[in-house]
Amino acid sequence: SQQGEEDPQALSIQEGENATMNCSYKTSINNLQWYRQNSGRGLVHLILIRSNEREKHSGRLRVTLDTSKKSSSLLITASRAADTASYFCATGPGGSSYKLIFGSGTRLLVRP
Amino acid sequence: NAGVTQTPKFQVLKTGQSMTLQCAQDMNHNSMYWYRQDPGMGLRLIYYSASEGTTDKGEVPNGYNVSRLNKREFSLRLESAAPSQTSVYFCASSEAGRDGGYTFGSGTRLTVV
């Protein structure tokens, strides 16, 4: 079963607009991560936010975490055509194994 | 380039055949993982190895076996392939406790006919 569920499943925006993707999860976590997957490729780690953090930035990415609502959001500002990809959230229960559970992803299309 | 290398990239098997998917990482990570990805779904964990010499089942282990050959290599074996195992398989590695997350290989696209 999936721990994280992304919303929306698909998103289409114009280049230059902001893109917001949401993730909800079910159980307590140690951290939450976001990954990007270009078509036919492996996943690439974007950003990690720990359970005691509320917001984190990396370049044009902004991630928020609300542990009381068991939800996170990923904001991509000033989107580019190259941002077209699928985005996945993954939750880490912690511990030595560092096992991640992935959601089903949001497919983002940025139109030139 | 440092990273996770998977072989082969593509494979077609007949039902009942066996094969081993190979994975190697050169980042000196302790933990390694095998996931499968089916259309419209996220990744589901098959097996993982927290450290050299240990392996554990994930969410969907049936029909698979793994071997952590050494710190660098983690192989996935299908003993008797079934059409339900048609999928894209990803290997990943990580160093527990760090903020770098997982590093993924480029995947093996497996079709069982």
Side-chain angles (χ1 to χ4, degrees):
Chain A
S1 62
Q2 301 294 327
Q3 159 79 312
E5 294 296 331
E6 284 91 340
D7 172 61
Q9 290 187 321
L11 180 61
S12 179
I13 60 173
Q14 201 73 33
E15 200 166 29
E17 294 179 339
N18 295 340
T20 300
M21 289 159 268
N22 302 297
C23 170
S24 60
Y25 57 92
K26 299 173 184 174
T27 63
S28 62
I29 62 171
N30 184 48
N31 65 75
L32 186 144
Q33 304 180 28
W34 286 89
Y35 287 78
R36 182 187 73 227
Q37 183 181 34
N38 291 91
S39 181
R41 309 290 293 273
L43 280 73
V44 175
H45 179 257
L46 294 176
I47 193 166
L48 178 151
I49 186 166
R50 297 193 180 281
S51 60
N52 61 354
E53 297 176 314
R54 291 296 168 259
E55 187 171 313
K56 203 162 184 179
H57 296 255
S58 177
R60 293 184 296 114
L61 305 180
R62 173 181 168 245
V63 171
T64 61
L65 178 64
D66 187 335
T67 53
S68 67
K69 295 181 179 178
K70 291 186 168 59
S71 68
S72 173
S73 67
L74 171 68
L75 169 67
I76 304 174
T77 60
S79 63
R80 306 165 181 169
D83 294 327
T84 294
S86 291
Y87 292 82
F88 295 89
C89 70
T91 51
S96 61
S97 68
Y98 210 55
K99 189 172 55 173
L100 287 181
I101 302 173
F102 285 82
S104 53
T106 292
R107 297 187 308 279
L108 173 65
L109 172 64
V110 182
R111 304 186 305 275
Chain B
N1 291 336
V4 177
T5 302
Q6 290 183 238
T7 56
K9 293 189 184 304
F10 301 93
Q11 184 72 48
V12 178
L13 288 179
K14 293 182 179 178
T15 297
Q17 286 186 320
S18 62
M19 80 161 295
T20 300
L21 281 65
Q22 307 287 353
C23 175
Q25 53 93 7
D26 58 6
M27 296 166 288
N28 204 37
H29 285 167
N30 281 321
S31 301
M32 297 185 73
Y33 314 83
W34 277 105
Y35 286 86
R36 60 177 287 174
Q37 184 178 33
D38 299 300
M41 298 184 70
L43 279 70
R44 291 184 291 170
L45 183 64
I46 305 171
Y47 271 94
Y48 67 101
S49 172
S51 60
E52 185 179 357
T54 69
T55 60
D56 286 287
K57 295 179 180 179
E59 182 185 359
V60 288
N62 291 343
Y64 305 94
N65 284 301
V66 291
S67 295
R68 183 74 183 267
L69 304 171
N70 46 56
K71 192 171 185 179
R72 290 187 64 248
E73 299 172 287
F74 188 38
S75 62
L76 178 72
R77 183 161 178 84
L78 286 70
E79 291 291 351
S80 179
S84 61
Q85 294 178 305
T86 293
S87 188
V88 182
Y89 292 85
F90 288 99
C91 177
S93 69
S94 75
E95 191 60 43
R98 299 235 179 128
D99 285 358
Y102 282 15
T103 300
F104 279 86
S106 57
T108 294
R109 187 173 297 273
L110 175 67
T111 301
V112 183
V113 298

